[in-house]
Amino acid sequence: MLKTAIAALGLGMAMGMSLASPVLAADAPSEIKLGTLYASSGRYASISMPVHAGLKLWVEQKNAEGGVYVKAFDKKIPIKLIAYDDQSNTATASTLYNQLITQDKVDLFVADSGSVLTAPAVTIARDHKMFLFDQTGTGGSFFSKDNPYIALMSDPVSTIWPKPIADFLTKDGPALGIKRVAILYSTNEFTGTQANSLRKFIKDANAPIEIVYDQGVPTETTNYTVILNNIRAAKPDAVIHLGYAPNDIAFLRNVQDVGIKFNMLFCIYPGLETELLEKNVGAKGLQHVFTYVPPSEMAYPVNFGMNIADYRKAWDKKYSDGKIEFGFNAVAGYTTALVIEKTLSVATSLDQMELRKAVFSLSGKLKTLDGTFALDETGGQIGELTPLGQLELNDHGHIKFVAVYPHEVATGKPVYPRP
Amino acid sequence: MLAYPLIAGVLFGLYFSLLGIGLNLVFGVMRIVNLAHGDFLMLGAFVAFGVFYLLGLDPLLAVPLAFVLFVIVGIVLYGLLVPRLQQSRDPEMLSIILFFGLSQVIEALVTIAFGTSERSIPSRELGSLMTAAAKALGAKPEGGPVDILGQSFPAAWVISAVVSVIAIGLVYVYLYRTRLGTLTRAVMSRRDEAFATGINVDRVCAAAFGIGLGLAAIAGVFAPFMFGSVTPAFGADATVTAFVIVVLGSLGNPLGTALGGVVYGICYMLVQTFLSSWADLLPYVLLILVLLLRPSGLLGRKVRVA
């Protein structure tokens, strides 16, 4: 009787364990399919390729170690990267995103870089009930309470990203003499949202700041000379230019060419893709420009993955030809990869809602080279914030970052007005 | 408020003329649409990068180098592609497909060789050998802006406008003051009759094709200064802009392109000033307007029966 009871108990425990453990290792797939897009040409190539290269670096590194640990199967499984080239074309991207889901039947669905090329993926992911690992698409409209199929991996959502600029302008600005602000932005989801948020933050602050110029230009704009003349006519104390890397290059070169000196000038990409901007605009053209301070300058402590110094070494080793610049986007691709790796290590199945649950469980706990990964309820990234900084020249004439706001992370005082 | 965009429009428009004139010359003589025009322009920019970054010379010296280089490339390419194309039933239509393919190949090869990132040259380096000449134009030292009627403009704009005027002038001299130019106009006017009178049409066309590509390459030398930076994907946008300018001036009339470029430049700068968000639409709006109101272009009639 006792033997029977023990046997029954043993059988019951074994059955219970088998039910509790998600799937037997024997049922594990031979590979985890990660599907994504990249732009090898076109307007977004310079921001897409570094992100993709960061992701690829991780895939190769992990596969060399036998794969990533997948809790759902309690074993390491190699990653199969399925990546197509959308050539910076949103129509092509839509077709390829669909192909990844319906033909390739990927397990993990990862967007291309930037809001413009992420936008088609947001709708497609939602329609197919696939969870979207949104790498750097920060557009505010992507995130809503009724869409559980998205989370932003590597950049702050655009609705909060410009907060440090607005706070600096409204809190420190008046004392410095900043009263008139000009906002010029490229009309796309990424910078359009940032412009809207900046405008709202400034107005809500009720500070003595007047927006004297507020215009959007097409993202494809490559010449700003006439626009600069119009901005100059508005006599602003601070000019905030929100555009992609090619916009910033053209804008800053035109500022130099026309010989205009604004007292304060902010651009996004001198901070995010400093190497690229320095190569095209020159160190002198970037001197005194305000920008976001990227994680590479903050050297955040990590609790998962490589730190910034080790990642830089790995990057230089793999991409030694220098065709892809190391910058914020290179960090973003690797950050996405780390979130995916950690997600697979905690998710009990590859069900898309389980993946979502796993991603959200990392919020506030995962610390990577990009800072603290933190999500709001809609999947928008609210960690990984970039302070406001200013670019100055070091003794060797090279660019260095000076964080100026918020005060608790400041490493120096802002140079205002620009000499 | 109006003076600045108008002057900027003329300066930039002259550059736009240079952008389109090669495309028009090729179409005018051969009736083929070179959709790889912008890619040759991009290659011209890479010649400038080579001259500056590898040889350490003034990028302006890339102008003659790029021209000669791409005249040769054009003549070789003509021999390889165009005679077969002309034998087809519909060379105009097939040329679109052929040169679209060529455009893709060029972009892919340059991407493989140089990567996808933006590239440029410091503006002050353009015309560094001509600092004295620039000073005479009113420029400040070290490539500073140039004052025109009390307004400041980038020195690169003025230099590129001057080179554009010279290039357009030389095209005029070639067409109207040389024997080869006379033969070229004969082919432009009536290809069959030119052939029947014993003109070596292939030789004339090869020269025109080479010159067309050479002019595109010259425009490319200035592209990093006019558009901020250049990537291997730059060609597609440049081709669209060049095409609009050519249609605006008149398809088949290289000199109409000069007028088309200036009109386009002025319109672009005025739209940027007063309706900046809509500036992107300008090429297509102009294209529709021209096709609706004056399909032959601003200088259309004279050419077709030249």
Side-chain angles (χ1 to χ4, degrees), chain A residues 239-313:
Chain A
V239 176
I240 312 297
H241 175 242
L242 305 167
Y244 276 110
N247 304 113
D248 277 350
I249 290 170
F251 182 81
L252 288 166
R253 281 177 64 100
N254 285 165
V255 167
Q256 275 183 294
D257 293 348
V258 183
I260 298 177
K261 281 187 181 170
F262 295 115
N263 286 342
M264 175 188 171
L265 175 59
F266 173 91
C267 293
I268 295 174
Y269 276 87
L272 304 195
E273 295 296 340
T274 313
E275 283 182 19
L276 179 69
L277 267 285
E278 191 171 355
K279 205 164 79 180
N280 283 282
V281 180
K284 280 214 136 193
L286 295 179
Q287 193 180 15
H288 306 308
V289 169
F290 285 77
T291 186
Y292 294 127
V293 183
S296 52
E297 296 299 317
M298 303 304 286
Y300 292 115
V302 305
N303 62 15
F304 191 64
M306 288 184 272
N307 62 26
I308 191 75
D310 291 342
Y311 179 54
R312 180 71 206 237
K313 271 186 216 157

Side-chain angles (χ1 to χ4, degrees), chain B residues 162-184:
Chain B
V162 170
V163 172
S164 300
V165 169
I166 292 170
I168 292 163
L170 289 176
V171 170
Y172 181 84
V173 170
Y174 159 71
L175 285 174
Y176 292 94
R177 294 284 183 270
T178 66
R179 181 172 152 68
L180 188 59
T182 307
L183 300 179
T184 304

